[in-house]
Amino acid sequence: MSDLSHVDRYPEIPVSLLASRGVLRTGEWRNMRPVARERRAPCSDACPAAVPVPRYLHLLAQGRLREAYETFTLRNPFPAITGRVCPHFCEAACNRDPYDGPLSIRALERYLGDAAAGLGLVGPEGETGKSVAVVGSGPAGLAAAYYLRRSGHRVVVYEKREKPGGLLRYGIPEYRLPEAVVDAEVARLGALGIEFRTGVALGPGMSLEALKEAHDAVVVATGAWEGRPMGMEGESLLEAGLEYLEQVARGHHTLPGRRCAVIGGGNTAMDVARVLRRLGGEVTVLYRRTAAEMPAIPEEVAAAARDGVRFEFLSLPRAAAKEAGALRLTVERMRLGEPDASGRARPEPTGETVDLEFDAVFKAVGERADLAPFPDAMRQEPGGWLAVGSDGSTADGAVFVAGDLATGPATVVEAIARGRRAADAVSARLGGGYDLPAWAAEESPDVVAPVEVNHAYFSRRARVEPSEVPPADRVGGILGEETAGIAAADALAEIERCFSCGYCNQCGTCFVFCPDAAITWDDGPVFDYDYCKGCGICSVECPGHVLLFVRERDDG
Amino acid sequence: MGERMLLTGNHAAAHGARLSRVQVISAYPITPQTTIVEELSEMVASGRLQAKFLTVESEHSAMAACVGAAAAGARTYTATSGQGLALMHEMLHWAVGARLPVVLSNVTRAMAPGWSIWSEQTDFLSQRDVGWLMLFAENVQEAQDFVIWLYRVAEQVYLPGMVAMDAFILSHTSEPLIVHDQDRVDAYLPPFRPLYDLDPAEPRAYGGLVNRDHYYEMRFKMYENMERAGPLLAEAGREFGEVLGFPYAPVEPYMIDDADYVLVSAGAMTSNVRFAVRLLRERGIKVGLLRLVAFRPFPFEEVRRYLGGRAKVAVLDRNMSPGHSGIFAQEIRAALSQGAPPTDVYGYVLGIGGRDIRVETVVEAVEDLLARDHPERCLFVGVKGLPIGPVRPDAEVRPLEPLEAEASG
Amino acid sequence: MKWDIPLGEEIHPGNLGCQGCGGALAMRLALKALGPDTVAVIPACCWSIIDGAFPVHALKVPVFHTAFETAAVAASGIKAAKDVQGKATTVIAWAGDGGTFDIGIQALSGAAERNEDIIYACYDNEAYMNTGIQRSSSTPSGTWTTTTPDERPESRPKKNIMEIMAAHRIPYAATCTPAYPDDMLRKFRKAKSIKGTRFLHILSVCPPGWKMPSDRAIEVMRLAVQSRVFPLYEVEDGLAYTMSLWPTEPVPPEDYFRVQGRFRPLFEDPARLERIKAFVDQQWEILVRRHRRTHPDEAGIPAGEAAAR
């Protein structure tokens, strides 16, 4: 304050002599304060790999492709793969769903993966001198291999088949996941120095013990390939769906008969049905519950229907018999009962049967892992399932397990998450690791609820849906990739739909609405608590509710 | 040495503004001021005066526009009368608090109701306490010159000033005058140098909130400057004579040196008072006149010097402050109460609502003065049916008594 | 930053507005559009206080404080002086609803009729808030104020100041609110580019006077627009009407009223509430008609509105 102790120091009129900054500390009025606190978006929370969706989308929107890719691949190294095949739990959880439909997260993920095709993955900072074997090169094995390598370990991947990729290459049809995409990811891992040894399987020729001797740790991710017996009469007359897919993947595009049935309601069943359809079969899916209970990705079910696949719901085959060059399937009609452990309605027999005639019948009712290589010491009980910790650890400190082998048949993204966690567990044991950016190190477990989003900043707009490539234009012919990637403009438009729950995407809304000019902008809000009166506008208006309003001294 | 012309007081005032090179004029028409703004509009339209003329919708707005323009650094002028001046009152205060040397010519006019367009000074004197410099012009020459004189002083003390011109007697009466040459006026009145001019390069707030810790000091400084305006006015009046040929002063004595009885007047009636003084002198009565030119700042020293110790002082007020007396009478009595020899002051109110103040009226008042042996606060001259005297102690409010219409045919 | 808004401020932090003051925010946004070569003329209103007490001042542009009823004409005087001096400074009169709708309307009408080259912005919080929430002619029907108590709430609709200003055929008049900053800045920028009298009617929240929490200050102004209680539109030359925003989803006026304690009497008088809703609809339809008359070929009117006749 200037010295106004004498009349001679006064101006002639009441003219201001000072700016209010530094004089009127209106922050003293405050009893609540806004604090920026990033929290989890429900999409990230629902993602088994915990991909920070709003964060990478924001980087992508800013044209910061490499940062977007590196942010994504901190949690999942294969956006081009999951962007094609993921069942996108994220979209089901999206806070935008009840508003005007969930964000097209999977399409954006694929956009990222495809746009980042020329980029390499982040490699190790330094070498630990440790060596880790990864057995199996499906999504879990590849993910484990990547994070082990990024952590500074030498990594050798052992693969039974002639090429790495496992289920990605041999279990998912080309029209959903082109082999070239898998090749590119494998090449990217190779570029980091990961060694692939193909044609070697865990078993008599290469024991777990031998691997433990050759390496400091072993991660086993051999998947679940064994068909599960249904216990029906004439089951040997049925073909294994997954084996058929592998055969097709190897280039044998043969149709075993014109009239085909596929038993099951999961993704393998849909894959088999749609491949058969593409090769000219008349396909009927038999499922013991109804469409609502199908575990397959809904888009795949819908696409199968569009392809012309017929569905017989509440239908459980009880017997198969060969008859005059054809297969007669005796099917019992079911009805829905009380929910079972999975929460889905349990199918109950009605006793009513019907006979259906097919030329070939495929079983796709779930697979199980081959546990033969594992000693009883690693099992929950002798001859039983493996005892596996959530980080993939087993009773054998040097052996870790990931993917379907650890969880039973699950999704690609769950396998990737398991692979990463097993790799991190290995590093926790052997040393090494990779630096986490601040956001990842300090990630809050709180999830942003739908009511916290300020819808005023989002006009209702239909989500961007990826389009289908016309059959004639598909690369690779009849089995070529079916779904087109979305255009850059569509991707940007779709990213604008993101509520950015709990993540500051620097929209500037808080800055714009501060009546007190107490927020300055430096690529994000900077609060000047000397002047913030605590009106709370910024917190209420923050579209993704990153700004919380907390009591003074509570410090939130 | 200027141009000799025959002009009304109002047109002369317009020339005063023109010669002062006013930059912004804002005014609202009111009888009997209208011909001032008509003349100025003509001057602006013809390019003889480089100024903006805002033809606003009220006197309040006229003064507000002047205040705004002056705050932004322009020399501003307005003219009004009676009701208009009363409506301006709030903004007259504003011009003072903001220390803006606006100049206005007020054609003094009796206040309504009833509607009167005729001369009386109560409108002007009601603005006594706002803090404007206040001058009374007596003739057409002064109607012009006092505008220039006021700018010269007002812009030194950053206080506004107003000139009183009696309605019709001065505003609409044509007299010969010298309209000065512009270069001579320029030599007398330098360009306006504002204290502040709302320059965005130096952003400040002007006239905002002031709490009890600070208001008093700024009003004190304003008061000091009003005091300072007294000697400045006298000095600038002398200089007016040197540069422009017409010396002016805060008071103007007439036949006063040996006078036992001194009359005090202001404004246009002074001419008749002067004539009456001559007549009374011929009759051997030692009477003189002190004309008040400046009302604010009040010429205490001169009043004490010229009136102190006289046998009788008669103040002729064309105005009144009900419940007290004529306003000049109050002021004279107050001035003589400090440091002057004991002097009896007789207050006379006359000419209310434009009633003529003739030479005979003044003579009657002086005769009354001579006949009285002790002073009266307020003596009314020329009320129908009453001799000159104070109010009656038994005055009462009477019900309406309709006049009988004269039988027609 | 998703907003097209200058990062620089023409206001220092540390103003004396209440928490969540719409008037403080409106000024901050308006000056971002007008820039530093601006003089603000402020009559008696909340901003007489908000700017700070001697010797302190919050704005980074000169502020001339003037008497309650004189904003428009004091601004005209300042502009006249700037003109004489050859300066292009923008002069904005910044007044509350009392200083605009009531005591200042004469000077405003005069300035508008003369087409003085000023911007006149009225930040309208719909009552005399600075003196403690007394009714003004901008107070809407059904409102509680200290001079329209619960037993006898305001009985007359808000004065339609926009129609009054449009009737002066000034080159530009527009409504806006800080809840829609893009729209508001656009209108102030447009106003700055036009010569003559430009009038901006800003709906400006007053959390203490509207009896509502300060953190919902923006929301309530948004609801005013979305419920059509306060439509956003422009009037050029007094005749050409253009709607600035077509609310996309219907929001009943009750949603706007309910947030505010001052409208409590409305919810105890269902008949009046219904009349007010009908009035809102009627006013809206009048505007839509005028928009359609101005833009007869426009295809952009939402389907629901095109039906309005």
Side-chain angles (χ1 to χ4, degrees):
Chain A
M1 190 74 71
S2 60
D3 174 22
L4 293 172
S5 61
H6 191 282
V7 64
D8 287 343
R9 303 295 305 265
Y10 274 81
E12 298 300 316
I13 62 169
V15 58
S16 60
L17 308 170
L18 292 169
S20 55
R21 177 192 286 281
V23 182
L24 288 175
R25 294 192 194 279
T26 50
E28 290 165 8
W29 306 1
R30 188 181 61 235
N31 50 30
M32 299 278 282
R33 69 159 63 197
V35 289
R37 187 160 337 126
E38 296 200 332
R39 290 178 299 147
R40 276 201 161 196
C43 49
S44 302
D45 190 59
C47 176
V51 168
V53 176
R55 182 178 298 274
Y56 88 79
L57 289 182
H58 176 226
L59 292 166
L60 204 50
Q62 289 181 306
R64 294 155 72 180
L65 175 63
R66 175 174 287 280
E67 288 161 84
Y69 179 65
E70 289 179 359
T71 298
F72 191 102
T73 55
L74 189 73
R75 294 277 165 81
N76 168 358
F78 310 125
I81 291 173
T82 43
R84 286 172 163 83
V85 303
C86 193
H88 51 69
F89 305 113
C90 49
E91 293 186 21
C94 179
N95 277 342
R96 187 135 190 162
D97 187 12
Y99 188 62
D100 61 354
L103 198 68
S104 261
I105 302 173
R106 186 174 77 174
L108 289 167
E109 184 172 324
R110 171 170 168 189
Y111 175 79
L112 170 72
D114 290 352
L119 302 178
L121 282 162
V122 175
E125 295 270 318
E127 301 292 338
T128 59
K130 308 286 186 185
S131 169
V132 184
V134 175
V135 185
S137 63
L142 292 180
Y146 169 62
Y147 292 106
L148 286 164
R149 182 67 198 121
R150 182 167 177 169
S151 301
H153 311 301
R154 176 176 169 252
V155 180
V156 180
V157 178
Y158 299 91
E159 168 55 50
K160 175 171 77 173
R161 294 178 176 81
E162 61 272 33
K163 285 182 179 178
L167 179 97
L168 302 172
R169 187 184 299 276
Y170 296 106
I172 301 178
E174 178 80 5
Y175 68 84
R176 281 178 63 203
L177 180 60
E179 200 171 7
V181 174
V182 180
D183 287 341
E185 296 297 358
V186 169
R188 215 167 346 211
L189 297 181
L192 293 179
I194 294 171
E195 188 185 335
F196 289 93
R197 292 188 194 161
T198 53
V200 285
L202 204 55
M206 183 180 74
S207 73
L208 210 46
E209 285 307 313
L211 282 173
K212 279 164 62 181
E213 267 180 38
H215 301 281
D216 297 297
V218 182
V219 176
V220 187
T222 46
W225 291 83
E226 309 271 299
R228 208 157 50 81
M230 292 178 66
M232 64 180 271
E233 199 179 309
E235 191 168 346
S236 61
L237 297 171
L238 274 42
E239 301 193 35
L242 200 51
E243 280 173 28
Y244 177 70
L245 291 177
E246 180 171 348
Q247 189 190 320
V248 173
R250 289 174 189 281
H252 306 297
H253 298 179
T254 51
L255 187 68
R258 185 174 55 85
R259 297 168 302 169
C260 303
V262 179
I263 305 167
N267 285 322
T268 303
M270 293 306 103
D271 288 347
V272 172
R274 299 189 67 202
V275 166
L276 290 167
R277 196 70 197 107
R278 275 166 172 67
L279 297 179
E282 290 170 14
V283 185
T284 302
V285 167
L286 303 170
Y287 180 51
R288 58 188 177 142
R289 304 190 227 216
T290 69
E293 288 81 31
M294 286 178 76
I297 303 172
E299 287 96 316
E300 285 303 309
V301 179
R306 277 200 307 280
D307 286 349
V309 170
R310 287 183 56 244
F311 288 89
E312 291 271 355
F313 292 115
L314 296 170
S315 302
L316 180 63
R318 290 301 193 190
K322 216 159 180 111
E323 198 169 83
L327 271 175
R328 194 188 67 236
L329 212 52
T330 303
V331 173
E332 180 171 8
R333 295 303 189 196
M334 311 297 278
R335 62 169 169 245
L336 292 181
E338 292 302 302
D340 64 9
S342 72
R344 298 175 298 163
R346 188 194 303 277
E348 289 169 357
T350 62
E352 184 192 330
T353 62
V354 61
D355 284 356
L356 302 170
E357 204 174 274
F358 297 103
D359 297 321
V361 178
F362 295 84
K363 218 170 57 158
V365 293
E367 292 76 27
R368 59 185 185 183
D370 174 9
L371 299 177
F374 301 99
D376 274 346
M378 289 177 65
R379 308 211 184 200
Q380 294 174 11
E381 60 202 67
W385 195 254
L386 295 177
V388 183
S390 63
D391 61 353
S393 59
T394 67
D396 185 332
V399 179
F400 296 79
V401 173
D404 284 2
L405 181 60
T407 58
T411 60
V412 169
V413 67
E414 285 166 289
I416 288 170
R418 281 291 186 153
R420 171 163 58 78
R421 258 180 275 162
D424 292 349
V426 169
S427 292
R429 180 181 159 85
L430 297 185
Y434 46 94
D435 288 339
L436 292 180
W439 67 263
E442 297 157 9
E443 209 174 15
S444 160
D446 290 351
V447 180
V448 177
V451 294
E452 294 183 83
V453 174
N454 191 336
H455 290 152
Y457 299 99
F458 304 96
S459 48
R460 288 181 210 268
R461 184 147 57 83
R463 69 191 223 127
V464 168
E465 297 284 1
S467 58
E468 196 175 300
V469 183
D473 298 344
R474 290 180 190 170
V475 177
I478 192 67
L479 284 175
E481 185 162 30
E482 175 186 34
T483 305
I486 58 174
D490 288 341
L492 289 177
E494 185 65 5
I495 292 172
E496 275 182 22
R497 289 183 72 241
C498 178
F499 285 163
S500 200
C501 306
Y503 169 71
C504 177
N505 63 359
Q506 301 166 2
C507 68
T509 304
C510 51
F511 168 78
V512 167
F513 287 122
C514 180
D516 298 309
I519 300 175
T520 48
W521 193 254
D522 183 15
D523 283 339
V526 180
F527 296 94
D528 192 337
Y529 291 111
D530 279 351
Y531 303 101
C532 166
K533 294 172 188 159
C535 68
I537 286 175
C538 55
S539 171
V540 166
E541 294 308 311
C542 179
H545 207 36
V546 180
L547 296 179
L548 304 187
F549 200 39
V550 300
R551 212 152 262 300
E552 279 299 322
R553 312 195 178 288
D554 235 10
D555 193 38
Chain B
M1 258 326 276
E3 186 183 356
R4 192 167 181 81
M5 295 178 79
L6 185 69
L7 293 178
T8 63
N10 277 356
H11 284 181
H15 280 279
R18 175 183 62 79
L19 290 167
S20 300
R21 296 190 186 274
V22 298
Q23 293 164 295
V24 175
I25 302 160
S26 178
Y28 184 78
I30 179 169
T31 303
Q33 153 267 34
T34 39
T35 52
I36 301 180
V37 295
E38 286 171 359
E39 180 69 6
L40 283 169
S41 301
E42 176 57 37
M43 289 174 175
V44 172
S46 66
R48 280 186 291 155
L49 174 56
Q50 296 292 320
K52 281 259 178 189
F53 195 130
L54 276 64
T55 53
V56 292
E57 81 300 330
S58 73
E59 288 88 355
H60 194 280
S61 283
M63 185 46 60
C66 286
V67 159
R75 183 173 285 162
T76 58
Y77 176 79
T78 189
T80 187
S81 178
Q83 308 295 130
L85 187 65
L87 183 58
M88 277 185 187
H89 181 77
E90 181 195 20
M91 297 317 292
L92 298 179
H93 277 289
W94 211 280
V96 171
R99 303 293 297 276
L100 302 170
V102 180
V103 168
L104 86 77
S105 298
N106 182 65
V107 183
T108 57
R109 169 181 158 174
M111 297 298 294
W115 280 120
S116 168
I117 56 173
W118 305 102
S119 184
E120 188 191 310
Q121 298 160 349
T122 308
D123 61 343
F124 190 79
L125 291 168
S126 294
Q127 313 309 326
R128 183 180 68 173
D129 300 333
V130 295
W132 282 55
L133 308 182
M134 298 171 87
L135 304 182
F136 280 84
E138 183 187 337
N139 55 44
V140 167
Q141 184 72 48
E142 291 179 359
Q144 169 192 265
D145 290 357
F146 283 14
V147 171
I148 302 165
W149 185 24
L150 266 182
Y151 276 119
R152 169 73 187 265
V153 180
E155 291 176 2
Q156 292 177 74
V157 295
Y158 296 96
L159 284 170
M162 56 175 82
V163 188
M165 303 160 56
D166 298 72
F168 297 104
I169 303 161
L170 181 46
S171 65
H172 285 65
T173 304
S174 292
E175 289 179 351
L177 81 162
I178 299 294
V179 176
H180 304 293
D181 290 339
Q182 183 68 60
D183 59 345
R184 301 307 299 155
V185 175
D186 290 347
Y188 176 74
L189 178 64
F192 176 35
R193 293 179 54 221
L195 269 180
Y196 307 100
D197 65 354
L198 305 182
D199 182 2
E202 199 194 349
R204 294 180 185 283
Y206 302 87
L209 198 61
V210 184
N211 64 28
R212 288 175 295 179
D213 283 348
H214 302 303
Y215 184 90
Y216 192 5
E217 280 67 28
M218 287 177 276
R219 288 287 157 163
F220 174 79
K221 288 169 76 89
M222 181 270 282
Y223 189 99
E224 279 189 328
N225 274 274
M226 182 56 103
E227 290 287 327
R228 200 162 67 89
L232 287 172
L233 202 58
E235 182 193 319
R238 272 194 304 278
E239 228 178 286
F240 204 106
E242 291 157 19
V243 180
L244 292 158
F246 292 84
Y248 295 115
V251 297
E252 200 179 279
Y254 180 68
M255 297 185 126
I256 202 165
D257 292 348
D258 62 341
D260 296 324
Y261 313 104
V262 180
L263 307 181
V264 178
S265 85
M269 70 167 157
T270 305
S271 302
N272 280 0
V273 177
R274 202 179 280 112
F275 198 96
V277 166
R278 280 203 301 275
L279 279 182
L280 290 161
R281 281 274 175 176
E282 282 167 17
R283 284 160 55 177
I285 301 166
K286 291 170 84 171
V287 62
L289 163 66
L290 184 69
R291 174 192 167 202
L292 289 184
V293 174
F295 181 66
R296 284 290 182 273
F298 192 79
F300 284 97
E301 278 309 312
E302 293 87 337
V303 166
R304 282 198 283 265
R305 185 163 75 245
Y306 287 114
L307 301 184
R310 305 285 175 172
K312 287 178 180 177
V313 170
V315 182
L316 307 179
D317 269 303
R318 191 170 209 155
N319 62 77
M320 56 186 176
S321 174
H324 198 293
S325 60
I327 295 167
F328 281 103
Q330 300 169 23
E331 301 267 332
I332 300 288
R333 275 189 217 107
L336 293 175
S337 71
Q338 281 187 313
T343 313
D344 283 342
V345 176
Y346 293 71
Y348 289 89
V349 167
L350 69 176
I352 294 300
R355 184 75 50 88
D356 273 351
I357 301 175
R358 297 167 180 271
V359 175
E360 309 87 88
T361 319
V362 179
V363 170
E364 279 168 32
V366 173
E367 286 165 349
D368 180 83
L369 175 76
L370 295 174
R372 288 188 187 272
D373 50 15
H374 65 271
E376 286 284 348
R377 184 153 54 94
C378 195
L379 296 155
F380 289 84
V381 180
V383 177
K384 283 179 187 168
L386 295 182
I388 296 177
V391 292
R392 295 165 295 166
D394 57 349
E396 59 184 38
V397 176
R398 289 161 61 94
L400 178 70
E401 285 177 25
L403 290 179
E404 296 279 326
E406 281 184 35
S408 59
Chain C
M1 178 66 69
K2 289 185 178 166
W3 300 84
D4 172 22
I5 192 164
L7 295 184
E9 300 286 356
E10 300 302 335
I11 178 171
H12 295 285
N15 70 62
L16 291 182
C18 302
Q19 289 166 326
C21 175
L25 175 57
M27 176 69 95
R28 177 174 166 255
L29 295 175
L31 287 179
K32 279 175 184 282
L34 299 180
D37 190 14
T38 301
V39 171
V41 181
I42 299 181
C45 61
C46 291
W47 254 99
S48 310
I49 311 296
I50 297 171
D51 193 40
F54 173 83
V56 173
H57 166 52
L59 291 183
K60 296 185 185 176
V61 301
V63 169
F64 185 72
H65 290 278
T66 191
F68 209 165
E69 63 277 55
T70 64
V73 68
S76 305
I78 290 169
K79 184 65 185 180
K82 295 287 182 192
D83 266 357
V84 179
Q85 295 158 353
K87 295 173 185 162
T89 303
T90 299
V91 180
I92 179 169
W94 184 269
D97 47 299
T100 303
F101 289 61
D102 290 345
I103 195 170
I105 197 166
Q106 172 179 320
L108 171 58
S109 174
E113 168 277 320
R114 298 189 301 277
N115 200 24
E116 297 284 359
D117 191 19
I118 58 168
I119 299 177
Y120 189 103
C122 169
Y123 67 108
D124 177 7
N125 52 32
E126 302 190 324
Y128 290 90
M129 297 310 187
N130 202 22
T131 45
I133 323 174
Q134 293 82 29
R135 81 169 290 273
S136 75
S137 62
S138 171
T139 302
S141 177
T143 308
W144 167 92
T145 69
T146 56
T147 51
T148 48
D150 279 348
E151 299 76 18
R152 239 182 66 183
E154 175 60 42
S155 61
R156 294 285 302 150
K158 182 185 177 78
K159 188 189 278 184
N160 193 326
I161 195 73
M162 283 294 284
E163 286 193 3
I164 292 170
M165 296 315 296
H168 288 77
R169 304 296 183 249
I170 53 174
Y172 188 65
T175 63
C176 59
T177 163
Y180 292 88
D182 285 338
D183 179 73
M184 183 171 161
L185 261 74
R186 179 181 69 77
K187 286 169 177 168
F188 270 87
R189 286 177 178 132
K190 182 168 176 179
K192 188 185 176 185
S193 73
I194 295 170
K195 262 190 106 62
T197 303
R198 298 138 280 167
F199 181 78
L200 287 139
H201 181 198
I202 310 165
L203 182 72
S204 178
V205 62
C206 172
W210 292 10
K211 300 283 166 217
M212 52 168 287
S214 61
D215 59 352
R216 300 183 75 179
I218 304 300
E219 180 192 354
V220 77
M221 292 188 283
R222 191 160 53 229
L223 284 171
V225 173
Q226 291 292 336
S227 65
R228 301 171 170 178
V229 171
F230 189 82
L232 298 182
Y233 61 100
E234 298 168 283
V235 188
E236 281 160 285
D237 300 319
L239 293 169
Y241 280 68
T242 303
M243 301 297 279
S244 315
L245 186 142
W246 302 93
T248 45
E249 292 171 35
V251 172
E254 294 96 305
D255 285 10
Y256 167 63
F257 299 143
R258 201 173 288 113
V259 181
Q260 307 170 53
R262 65 171 173 150
F263 287 118
R264 191 183 48 231
L266 266 185
F267 291 95
E268 277 153 31
D269 186 351
R272 169 173 275 161
L273 180 58
E274 284 312 306
R275 282 199 303 279
I276 288 170
K277 289 174 66 177
F279 182 73
V280 167
D281 283 348
Q282 178 208 38
Q283 297 299 305
W284 173 262
E285 279 167 23
I286 289 170
L287 287 175
V288 171
R289 265 202 304 278
R290 289 177 180 166
H291 174 97
R292 290 166 58 79
R293 199 158 56 216
T294 307
H295 307 278
D297 303 324
E298 187 179 280
I301 302 177
E305 309 298 346
R309 287 289 177 274

